[in-house]
Amino acid sequence: MSLASKSTHTYVKVPQVYMLEGPNLNAKVASEAIYAEEVEIIPGTKKGKWIQIQTCRDGYKGWIQASSIQKMKSPYLQPTDTVLKIARLRAFVHRITDTEQVPLLALAKGTTLKVVQEKEEQNRRWIEVRLINGKSAFIQRGDVVINPKTMTLSEMLEDSKSELNVPYAYGGTSTFGSDCSGFVQRQFAKMDIKIPRDSKDQIKWDGFKSIALEELEVGDSIFWGVSVDKIRHVGIYLGQNQFIHQTVQELKPYARISSLDDAKWNGKSDWPYRAARRLKSFLP
C-alpha cells in the first residue's frame, strides 16, 4: 500500500522522541524520531500511555508515549508542496515574526516543513510554514533551505563537518544528539541513500562492497569491533588517514574527526577488528 492510499497518516508532533525497547521510561533507547517524521502504529500494542511505532524511513521499532504523535487523514506533504529543510543544527519556529517572543519549537537539522508562503521582498527574513497540528508558524530564512536538492558525496562530507561537537546520545539519530550509526545513517540520507540503522547491520548491508583498508577512499565507511559479527563502531573516511564519527570514547562524547593512527582506532586496542565498506553505487 502506498503512503498516499492509506486512510490515516501518523506523524511525530514533538521536536524529537526517543523510541524505547519497552513501554516504560526505564527501558533502553532503541532509536529516535523527529518532528514531522511519518511513522506507523503497530496494531494491538497500546499499553496505557504507551504505543509501539515503526519508522517509515528505516523500519525501526520502538515504544513512545502516544501523546508524541498525531494522526492525519491525508499526508502532511503533497507532491506539489513547496518544502523546506532546516539547515542548521537547530532552528526555532515562532508563532509570529518576532524573535522577542517565546519560540514554539526548536527543531533539528533535516526536519522537513511545508511552506505556506514566502514573505514579500520587504520582509524576506521570514517564511510561513504549516505545522503538523494545522496551524501556521514562522521560521527564519537563514535557518533553512527551500526545496533542497540531494547532496553529492563531496557536499555531504563537507556538511558533515558542520555537525562536529553534536553531543553523543545512545539511540539518537538527529542533531539533538546521535550515536555512531545514527550519525552515519544521517549523512548518507543527505545523498538520498537509505542504509540500515545499526552498525552491525550496516556492515552487512548489500548496498556496500567490502574493500581492504589499504584501498580506502573518501566517503568509505569504516567499522570497528571484535569481529564482523560483533561490530561496535562506525565512521566515515575523510582522506589523509582521518575519519569523522560520533563516539563517547577518549572522554570526548561528541562528533569529531579522529585519525586511524590514534591508539583507540589503530586496531590494537579493545576493538581489534577493522573493516571498510564502499557504496556499490560509487564503483566504476
Side-chain angles (χ1 to χ4, degrees):
M1 180 188 298
S2 69
L3 293 180
S5 66
K6 294 194 303 182
S7 58
T8 60
H9 298 259
T10 305
Y11 297 92
V12 176
K13 68 176 184 180
V14 293
Q16 61 88 228
V17 60
Y18 286 116
M19 300 162 56
L20 308 182
E21 292 185 356
N24 65 82
L25 291 175
N26 292 321
K28 186 177 178 180
V29 177
S31 193
E32 178 189 25
I34 63 173
Y35 187 87
E37 180 173 347
E38 186 164 11
V39 300
E40 299 276 3
I41 296 174
I42 299 176
T45 60
K46 186 170 176 56
K47 293 186 178 181
K49 298 179 180 179
W50 295 86
I51 198 161
Q52 192 177 31
I53 63 167
Q54 183 174 27
T55 55
C56 292
R57 61 183 161 94
D58 60 14
Y60 220 90
K61 296 179 181 179
W63 292 85
I64 64 170
Q65 294 195 22
S67 58
S68 301
I69 54 178
Q70 181 164 324
K71 294 180 180 179
M72 302 174 68
K73 291 184 178 179
S74 58
Y76 171 59
L77 298 176
Q78 301 289 341
T80 57
D81 285 338
T82 299
V83 302
L84 60 77
K85 277 193 177 183
I86 292 175
R88 297 173 60 78
L89 296 184
R90 281 168 294 283
F92 289 121
V93 175
H94 297 264
R95 179 175 56 84
I96 59 175
T97 57
D98 184 355
T99 54
E100 294 184 7
Q101 301 293 312
V102 176
L104 284 174
L105 298 164
L107 301 180
K109 182 178 181 180
T111 300
T112 303
L113 299 174
K114 178 188 298 189
V115 174
V116 176
Q117 66 175 341
E118 299 184 56
K119 288 295 184 180
E120 301 298 330
E121 190 66 29
Q122 63 267 27
N123 193 15
R124 295 187 69 252
R125 174 181 170 186
W126 295 96
I127 299 172
E128 185 178 356
V129 296
R130 183 79 67 211
L131 301 180
I132 291 297
N133 61 12
K135 295 182 179 180
S136 291
F138 299 89
I139 192 165
Q140 296 185 83
R141 183 179 300 274
D143 287 331
V144 307
V145 175
I146 304 289
N147 288 329
K149 297 179 180 179
T150 301
M151 290 187 185
T152 64
L153 175 63
S154 59
E155 289 170 339
M156 178 276 281
L157 292 173
E158 187 61 30
D159 191 70
S160 72
K161 297 174 186 176
S162 71
E163 299 177 19
L164 293 172
N165 297 313
V166 166
Y168 180 93
Y170 183 87
T173 62
S174 76
T175 53
F176 283 121
S178 65
D179 58 22
C180 64
S181 56
F183 177 86
V184 170
Q185 184 192 50
R186 186 169 70 252
Q187 306 316 315
F188 280 103
K190 296 172 184 177
M191 300 185 291
D192 200 25
I193 296 172
K194 296 181 179 181
I195 68 172
R197 169 66 182 86
D198 293 332
S199 57
K200 63 180 176 57
D201 300 316
Q202 291 173 356
I203 194 172
K204 297 179 180 180
W205 180 53
D206 60 8
F208 279 143
K209 174 182 173 60
S210 178
I211 59 170
L213 287 172
E214 295 75 19
E215 301 173 325
L216 275 171
E217 294 181 0
V218 171
D220 291 339
S221 297
I222 313 170
F223 296 86
W224 287 260
V226 178
S227 68
V228 69
D229 294 316
K230 295 182 179 180
I231 294 300
R232 296 291 182 268
H233 192 61
V234 62
I236 301 175
Y237 189 60
L238 298 177
Q240 298 182 329
N241 230 28
Q242 294 186 319
F243 64 99
I244 188 168
H245 61 145
Q246 189 116 26
T247 180
V248 295
Q249 300 297 323
E250 304 162 300
L251 302 180
K252 298 175 182 179
Y254 46 83
R256 63 184 190 274
I257 295 172
S258 298
S259 171
L260 290 173
D261 292 328
D262 291 344
K264 182 65 186 180
W265 312 110
N266 64 9
K268 300 177 182 179
S269 183
D270 52 347
W271 292 339
Y273 178 83
R274 297 192 300 173
R277 298 290 186 269
R278 180 170 300 156
L279 280 168
K280 290 180 179 178
S281 58
F282 290 173
L283 295 171

